[in-house]
Structures are given as structure tokens and as C-alpha cells.
Amino acid sequence: SFAFVTDPQVGSSGAKAQWIDTLAKIDTHFGEASFIVSGGDQIATPTAESDYDNFIVDGLSTVAIATTNGPAHDNTALYRDHYNLPNDSSTYGVSASASDYYYTYNSILFVHINVENENVEEHIEFLDRALENNPNALWQIVVIHHSYFSGSSASTNSNIVNMGKALAGAMNERGVDAVLSGHDHFYARSNLMVDYYTESTDTIVNNTVENPLGTLYICGTSSSGSGFDAPINTNNAAYQNATNRKSIVNVSVTKTSLTFDAYFVDGTAPELFDTFTIIRTDSKEPVNVPKYSVTYVTDTDVEH
């Protein structure tokens, strides 16, 4: 298992105290977690070394964390100075602060996309290379800071819409099982998506789906309680929770199942408020990476 956090935006002493509390909750209640995955915006001010002091606290001394670059809170060279990015690209998704990178844990492939670079073709090419280098991965998870299915006001921005239109279909074609993101400061879980517009016809029973044709998207809210927002529409979200409470997602992985349990972590004990499970009973073949053409659109082309 691993714990998914996002948008701690640690800068003030208050956010630091809440972040320390979140890490303690993960250690106490989810001690089996192998590591932490962050959806970005780890700190508040990208040029403040003091913010990194407040984020990289003792609670991170015994557990690894895989971070994601989140403009505009992480996007300076300090980001690369503080984190180890395995298999980071010198060609794809490159910006002043980071680039696309990937790693594997057991049979899971994780691909982190650097949205500071908005060249979608580069991100797709990097995903192709990561898949080609790991053809036997049983699960593929993408981590990207921006959410395009949450129903947030940010998800209607042209750059995020364009990225969603280009990436959603490409990731589904390549067999990506789930996409983890943040940025929007409320929790949202999407319908299973075939592309930017199309929901899959998968049958979901008790928040469980078998051998899905679509990709699941989860947007987390602030894991330090540093700030909250609310959706402006449902878009393709199956579930939204704009309660102003900090949360994490505990992800449990087996060879045949992937379970996402979302918990509020602002009380004495974590409080489960959403769950979803993907089950695979079919034999997942190595991904035959397709070629995918990218079409850029203007604001006038945006349908929702």
C-alpha cells in the first residue's frame, strides 16, 4: 500500500503543524504504507528555503515520498535541489524546476508528469517510453498536478482543458489504470473515462468495477488543511466532497485489485468517506503502445 497526499502548501507554522499531524496519522494508522506519493504543491512559496524546512520534517525521515511539481508553488530550481527524481528525463517535460520521471515498486509503474511544461506530445512520448521499459507492470498509475475531471473552476482553464483532451484518451489507450492529481483543494473521484468526453460503459457495483475499460481519476484535497475550495460543476465526477477537512487516500494494491480509500485526517482517528476498487480477473497483457496524434484546441472549441 501507499498513501496519497496533495497540496500541503506548507509555509506557515500552522500548516507545518497540520502537516506533521498528517504524517503522524499515516505512521500510526497506515504504518503498512510502503511510501507516500504527493500530487504537488508541497510548499507555499517556491523561492522560500524556509518552506522546505517546514515541509521536510522528521515525519519524512523514515518513509520515502515521491513528489510532483505543482505550479506555481514548486516551480523553481529549488524543487529539483530537494528531491530525488528517478529516471527523470532530460528531454521530456523539462522545465527550470523538473521534468517527467517514473519509477516502479513491485509490479506497479508510476509516471509523474511535470505540468509546468505544457507540451502534451512530450508527456505522451515519455509515457510511451516508460511503458516500453516496463512491459510487465501489472498496474500503471500516473501522477499529475492538474485535475481535469474534478469540476473545479481551474479545470475550465484552456491549458488544463487542452491537456485533458490530449492526455485522457492517450492514457486510456495505453492501459493506465488510475490518475492521481490535486490542485483543486477538494476531493473528487471521476467516472471511468475512455477519453476527455466519453465515460465507459463499465458496470460498477458497490463502488467496485471488474476489468474496466475506462481510467479512474482521483483529485485529492489539501493534506495539511492549508486551503480549501469547491466545485462549480459535476463535469465527469462521480463523487465530490468539498468539506473543508484535510484528507489523504490510502491505496492498497494486490496482483488483482487496486483499492482507493479516502480518509479525513483532522480528528483523533482517520474517518473513511469514500472508497473505490478496481478488480482485474483477466490476464493483463503487456501494453502494445499505440501512436497517438495530439490536436490542440482553442477556447472556442471547448464544449464544457
Side-chain angles (χ1 to χ4, degrees):
S1 67
F2 64 93
F4 174 63
V5 303
T6 191
D7 296 85
Q9 291 187 6
V10 177
S12 67
S13 58
K16 176 183 179 180
Q18 287 297 316
W19 174 236
I20 291 173
D21 175 71
T22 296
L23 293 174
K25 293 284 192 343
I26 293 173
D27 181 59
T28 301
H29 299 281
F30 307 102
E32 75 281 2
S34 299
F35 56 100
I36 296 172
V37 173
S38 174
D41 279 1
Q42 284 74 219
I43 64 169
T45 305
T47 56
E49 183 64 42
S50 59
D51 283 11
Y52 281 99
D53 291 339
N54 290 334
F55 175 74
I56 304 174
V57 291
D58 288 346
L60 291 177
S61 64
T62 56
V63 61
I65 185 167
T67 61
T68 306
N69 184 33
H73 294 279
D74 301 316
N75 57 332
T76 68
L78 283 178
Y79 176 84
R80 188 181 291 277
D81 290 343
H82 285 83
Y83 307 119
N84 173 44
L85 310 178
N87 303 303
D88 58 326
S89 177
S90 60
T91 305
Y92 302 108
V94 177
S95 68
S97 55
S99 60
D100 295 346
Y101 77 99
Y102 76 86
Y103 52 94
T104 59
Y105 190 88
N106 290 347
S107 296
I108 317 167
L109 171 66
F110 293 84
V111 179
H112 288 242
I113 290 176
N114 173 29
V115 292
E116 187 183 357
N117 182 320
E118 296 183 4
N119 187 322
V120 185
E121 289 177 305
E122 288 188 12
H123 299 314
I124 294 174
E125 180 67 21
F126 183 78
L127 178 60
D128 285 349
R129 289 175 178 262
L131 291 167
E132 288 168 353
N133 290 337
N134 299 276
N136 296 316
L138 294 178
W139 300 101
Q140 292 89 18
I141 296 176
V142 168
V143 189
I144 181 171
H145 182 60
H146 288 159
S147 304
Y148 35 84
F149 291 130
S150 66
S152 71
S153 58
S155 68
T156 65
N157 293 343
S158 60
N159 63 326
I160 297 178
V161 170
N162 290 350
M163 188 169 292
K165 284 188 172 185
L167 286 179
M171 288 195 285
N172 183 252
E173 282 186 338
R174 286 153 175 77
V176 172
D177 297 288
V179 178
L180 303 177
S181 61
H183 188 68
D184 295 339
H185 290 254
F186 64 87
Y187 177 88
R189 171 171 50 82
S190 77
N191 293 301
L192 295 164
M193 302 303 299
V194 175
D195 55 34
Y196 185 75
Y197 296 113
T198 311
E199 298 175 10
S200 75
T201 57
D202 296 310
T203 300
I204 299 171
V205 179
N206 295 326
N207 283 6
T208 300
V209 63
E210 291 191 15
N211 307 321
L213 301 174
T215 299
L216 177 69
Y217 292 77
I218 289 182
C219 171
T221 192
S222 173
S223 296
S224 71
S226 61
F228 300 102
D229 209 337
I232 62 170
N233 57 56
T234 57
N235 198 359
N236 292 103
Y239 175 82
Q240 297 167 315
N241 191 309
T243 306
N244 291 350
R245 302 178 64 182
K246 66 175 182 173
S247 69
I248 68 163
V249 180
N250 188 62
V251 186
S252 302
V253 188
T254 73
K255 289 183 178 180
T256 57
S257 67
L258 195 59
T259 299
F260 302 85
D261 290 325
Y263 291 88
F264 295 124
V265 288
D266 53 359
T268 303
E271 178 184 335
L272 181 69
F273 68 91
D274 186 44
T275 185
F276 194 87
T277 298
I278 299 171
I279 293 176
R280 287 207 174 276
T281 58
D282 57 352
S283 177
K284 191 170 185 180
E285 297 296 327
V287 176
N288 182 18
V289 178
K291 294 300 178 184
Y292 191 84
S293 60
V294 177
T295 302
Y296 289 93
V297 297
T298 64
D299 288 341
T300 56
D301 297 316
V302 177
E303 297 179 15
H304 29 286

